[in-house]
Amino acid sequence: MEIVEERLRGLLLQGLDADAAAYQRFLKELSAHLRAFLRRRLAQRPDEVEDLVQETLLAVHNQRHTYRPEMPVTAWAHAIARYKLIDWLRSHAVKEGRNDPLDDADELFASSDSEAAEARRDLGQLLRTLPDKQRLPIEYVKLEGLSVVETARLTGLSESAVKVGVHRGLKALAAKIRGMA
Amino acid sequence: MKTDELIHLLATDDRPVETTAIEQRFAVAIAAGILGAGVLMLAMFGLRPDLLTTMALPMFWGKLVFAAALAAAGLALLRRMARPGMPVGNAALWLAVPPLVLWAMALMALSQVSAAERMPLILGSTWRTCPFNIAALSVPAFATGFWALKGAAPTRLAWAGAGAGLLAGALGALVYALHCPEMAAPFLAVWYLAGMAIPTVLGAVLGPRLLRW
């Protein structure tokens, strides 16, 4: 567990310092832990797992300014996953699994699962409801896997406008998911 | 969208992150809340006319220190509650200190007077309005405090809402003390706390509704 903590912490701190590659590895590893955790917790609803993995990743990203270097990353990420899971269970009026305590941060990092299933909710569809300034940068970066520089050239936006568009779009996306619940 | 695509997308949003963003937001919220309460206080009640002479009395400063200490303890608690997975630690205990000191002072004051004088000491001359005036002055800080929390990720929404309400109540009381004519500890021990309890309870009720993320 301490090895996981140290590696994730290193990657996240680099990520917060604008190292995109390290941040991507952090998210990738975290998503595998989230998937295994949620598959176990939502054993009755396997179809919902990938949606919640994505929603939790989006929350981790949008709330990454709440991380403090003196906190264990595992405790921080677990608290976010726990909150998202409880929020989901509540809004879907699901009783199952509510009785098991969710307080053990180690549970999240004890296992991992990199086999992603199809997400049921299509974030791409939600994306189309965003204004162009946010939608276009996100679509180019996501669909084509383009870099910010390339996206800027293709859309005629400045590089900082692309980044602002992605940033605001991700916040708006999270708000839309929240509105659906 | 596949999860890997989402991860790639999230990693593009790689602007450096301020790890003190929450503190900065609370600083703005508190400054705006105090300013708003000050304007409301001047418009609705006015400064107490003998403000300059009362400033020589220790109890005037006692009121301010009490409200400021409670606000500081509330803020310390809130900035922990605003972060997922951060233990609250002793921050909740500090919150109990200002009321306990005030209650001890009130009991001491009550024990030094005859039974007949006790009720007047508790009720003062403004007990009917004091709690509601404090609650009214807490409105600006209540709004700005919730705004600050919206920029964070509290995981216990009712508690976080109550914390924001208490902070707003303490700031409301801090400003109200510049108008309030009451100087007896027994009065403050009951009615100031009652005034702060109003936004605290309201915050606990509104937290789960307004603070979801």
Side-chain angles (χ1 to χ4, degrees):
Chain A
M1 199 55 58
E2 269 154 45
I3 302 166
V4 177
E5 167 66 35
E6 253 172 60
R7 187 175 56 242
L8 284 180
R9 189 184 137 80
L11 291 174
L12 175 59
L13 286 177
Q14 283 171 279
L16 293 178
D17 213 19
D19 179 339
Y23 187 52
Q24 189 159 351
R25 277 171 56 206
F26 166 78
L27 290 174
K28 183 95 188 145
E29 196 167 324
L30 179 62
S31 71
H33 289 301
L34 285 172
R35 190 172 295 115
F37 169 71
L38 292 172
R39 280 213 171 124
R40 201 164 48 245
R41 285 289 176 173
L42 291 179
Q44 325 287 328
R45 308 280 195 106
D47 294 350
E48 311 274 0
V49 168
E50 206 58 29
D51 278 2
L52 204 50
V53 169
Q54 293 190 355
E55 192 181 331
T56 308
L57 283 175
L58 197 55
V60 163
H61 176 74
N62 283 337
Q63 303 298 347
R64 65 201 189 285
H65 65 281
T66 64
Y67 178 70
R68 294 279 312 165
E70 70 265 23
M71 295 165 62
V73 180
T74 42
W76 177 73
H78 173 260
I80 293 179
R82 178 180 187 275
Y83 172 80
K84 277 290 163 190
L85 175 60
I86 291 177
D87 190 57
W88 188 92
L89 292 172
R90 227 174 247 156
S91 59
H92 289 73
V94 177
K95 297 278 184 292
E96 77 221 33
R98 290 282 297 273
N99 299 324
D100 297 340
L102 275 166
D103 296 328
D104 182 11
D106 290 352
E107 185 196 341
L108 173 57
F109 295 94
S111 54
S112 87
D113 185 343
S114 54
E115 293 292 316
E118 280 297 313
R120 249 177 32 149
R121 170 179 51 223
D122 188 6
L123 281 182
Q125 208 131 30
L126 272 184
L127 200 56
R128 278 189 277 282
T129 63
L130 297 182
D132 278 359
K133 265 187 157 170
Q134 297 168 5
R135 180 178 60 83
L136 286 176
I138 289 184
E139 284 188 342
Y140 277 109
V141 168
K142 171 193 79 85
L143 290 178
E144 335 278 347
L146 294 181
S147 70
V148 171
V149 182
E150 293 164 320
T151 302
R153 209 173 44 233
L154 276 169
T155 54
L157 295 166
S158 69
E159 277 177 44
S160 72
V162 169
K163 289 203 169 192
V164 169
V166 171
H167 179 74
R168 294 200 178 142
L170 291 174
K171 295 246 176 210
L173 221 46
K176 283 191 188 291
I177 293 175
R178 208 159 46 238
M180 284 166 52
Chain B
M1 192 187 301
K2 291 200 181 351
T3 301
D4 275 349
E5 292 174 334
L6 176 68
I7 290 175
H8 172 74
L9 176 65
L10 297 179
T12 331
D13 184 18
D14 64 350
R15 299 185 305 171
V17 171
E18 287 258 16
T19 50
T20 56
I22 290 176
E23 282 73 15
Q24 290 171 22
R25 249 172 116 102
F26 273 117
V28 172
I30 287 172
I34 291 179
L35 198 71
V39 171
L40 270 186
M41 186 270 290
L42 292 176
M44 290 166 67
F45 315 123
L47 290 172
R48 56 182 286 179
D50 57 349
L51 185 64
L52 282 178
T53 46
T54 23
M55 279 171 79
L57 301 173
M59 199 56 204
F60 173 81
W61 297 103
K63 279 197 283 189
L64 295 185
V65 167
F66 166 69
L70 208 50
L75 177 65
L77 184 64
L78 217 47
R79 64 178 282 257
R80 289 175 162 274
M81 288 200 294
R83 295 189 152 92
M86 193 174 223
V88 169
N90 291 331
L93 292 179
W94 283 107
L95 210 54
V97 172
L100 287 178
V101 170
L102 183 62
W103 284 333
M105 287 169 66
L107 287 178
M108 221 151 70
L110 289 174
S111 70
Q112 283 164 0
V113 297
S114 68
E117 290 170 286
R118 280 177 195 154
M119 271 327 261
L121 217 46
I122 292 174
L123 296 181
S125 59
T126 61
W127 67 275
R128 279 189 191 84
T129 51
C130 168
F132 301 105
N133 291 349
I134 288 178
L137 292 186
S138 74
V139 169
F142 192 90
T144 59
F146 265 72
W147 164 80
L149 272 185
K150 283 298 279 177
T155 51
R156 285 157 203 223
L157 305 186
W159 284 104
L166 179 68
L167 174 61
L171 295 176
L174 182 72
V175 172
Y176 184 66
L178 301 178
H179 160 80
C180 171
E182 308 286 350
M183 299 298 261
F187 178 93
L188 306 175
V190 176
W191 304 109
Y192 267 49
L193 282 167
M196 296 179 197
I198 296 172
T200 307
V201 170
L202 193 65
V205 172
L206 289 180
R209 270 153 239 223
L210 298 180
L211 295 175
R212 276 187 70 217
W213 49 276

